[in-house]
Amino acid sequence: SKNSQYQAILNQVKEMPPEQKAVFQAKVAQDEVRKVEDDLLYFLTKYVRTLDEHDTVTPIKPLPMEKQYLQDLAYLFLTEKLLYIEKSRQMMVTWTIISCCLWDAQFHDGRRIAVQSKKESDANAILDRGKFIYKQEPDYLKMIHKANDPMAYCKLEFGKQNSIITAIPQGAEQLRQYTFSLIFSDEMPFQEKN
């Protein structure tokens, strides 16, 4: 069975000398990073953790990727140039889209992503979700694709990738000064300066 095969491999790893074990672990981590780089759905399912401020017992939770509409949303993120999502609250759509933006910036070169909302502080609150997700990732993902430290207000930068996510307030003039790879505009109907 698969469990006995996994157990046999774990036992072999335990028996390895420390140097050999370190090389093996580095190779496994490298393979895992490559898989994450290539597969958004894998990243969302395995690595994204959200914060549920209403749950005092277990506030940190995986993104509920078993929901088909979130899987569809991830697919549309990858395939559509323009995506307008009408939603209600508590559907995890904002968490999903900021997770997709994080994946795009962290694991791909030369990405400039805008997160726009009515006020700068609202946009930064969404970006803070991305920072939260990043901080929950295992070290081996962050070692290869590291965010600049300290993390600045309204920015999440990945210097090695030359990628950045910037939080900005409403208004076309906020977008005009840069050439963005991607714009995530949250609650657009409530932004007066479109």
Side-chain angles (χ1 to χ4, degrees), residues 73-189:
L73 185 56
Y75 174 77
L76 292 170
F77 177 87
L78 292 172
T79 59
E80 297 297 324
K81 280 188 168 243
L82 183 62
L83 186 57
Y84 182 84
I85 304 162
E86 197 171 337
K87 66 174 184 80
S88 61
R89 298 204 176 274
Q90 307 299 313
M91 291 184 64
M92 304 299 290
V93 171
T94 301
W95 276 102
T96 302
I97 295 297
I98 195 62
S99 299
C100 293
C101 293
L102 172 66
W103 173 82
D104 196 23
Q106 185 177 357
F107 299 107
H108 303 92
D109 294 338
R111 305 299 292 160
R112 179 175 285 277
I113 299 169
V115 174
Q116 187 178 44
S117 196
K118 189 168 183 169
K119 297 184 296 189
E120 182 179 81
S121 61
D122 294 339
N124 188 64
I126 294 168
L127 182 56
D128 280 346
R129 292 181 187 192
K131 291 175 181 178
F132 176 84
I133 294 163
Y134 173 80
K135 290 174 183 174
Q136 301 306 307
E137 291 176 3
D139 289 341
Y140 58 84
L141 287 185
K142 294 186 281 193
M143 283 177 14
I144 296 173
H145 296 284
K146 186 170 176 48
N148 293 7
D149 192 31
M151 293 181 184
Y153 178 73
C154 289
K155 289 186 179 168
L156 178 53
E157 296 180 80
F158 296 92
K160 187 176 169 189
Q161 280 73 35
N162 292 308
S163 292
I164 184 170
I165 306 173
T166 307
I168 58 173
Q170 68 180 333
E173 70 278 357
Q174 301 294 325
L175 297 170
R176 199 173 315 135
Q177 58 187 315
Y178 300 105
T179 303
F180 287 103
S181 313
L182 173 71
I183 300 166
F184 168 26
S185 190
D186 191 57
E187 299 192 350
M188 279 181 76

Side-chain angles (χ1 to χ4, degrees), residues 20-34:
Q20 187 180 0
K21 189 185 290 186
V23 169
F24 176 79
Q25 289 170 331
K27 171 77 172 104
V28 169
Q30 204 171 39
D31 290 346
E32 185 68 7
V33 169
R34 250 187 246 111

Side-chain angles (χ1 to χ4, degrees), residues 23-89:
V23 169
F24 176 79
Q25 289 170 331
K27 171 77 172 104
V28 169
Q30 204 171 39
D31 290 346
E32 185 68 7
V33 169
R34 250 187 246 111
K35 190 170 185 176
V36 168
E37 291 169 344
D38 294 337
D39 191 340
L40 172 60
L41 197 57
Y42 183 74
F43 171 72
L44 295 173
T45 303
K46 185 159 183 185
Y47 292 107
V48 173
R49 298 294 174 264
T50 64
L51 182 63
D52 182 350
E53 288 133 352
H54 304 293
D55 186 341
T56 57
V57 178
T58 315
I60 299 173
K61 305 176 181 192
L63 192 62
M65 291 308 295
E66 68 278 359
K67 296 183 180 194
Q68 186 62 49
Y69 71 91
L70 293 181
Q71 294 174 35
D72 294 343
L73 185 56
Y75 174 77
L76 292 170
F77 177 87
L78 292 172
T79 59
E80 297 297 324
K81 280 188 168 243
L82 183 62
L83 186 57
Y84 182 84
I85 304 162
E86 197 171 337
K87 66 174 184 80
S88 61
R89 298 204 176 274

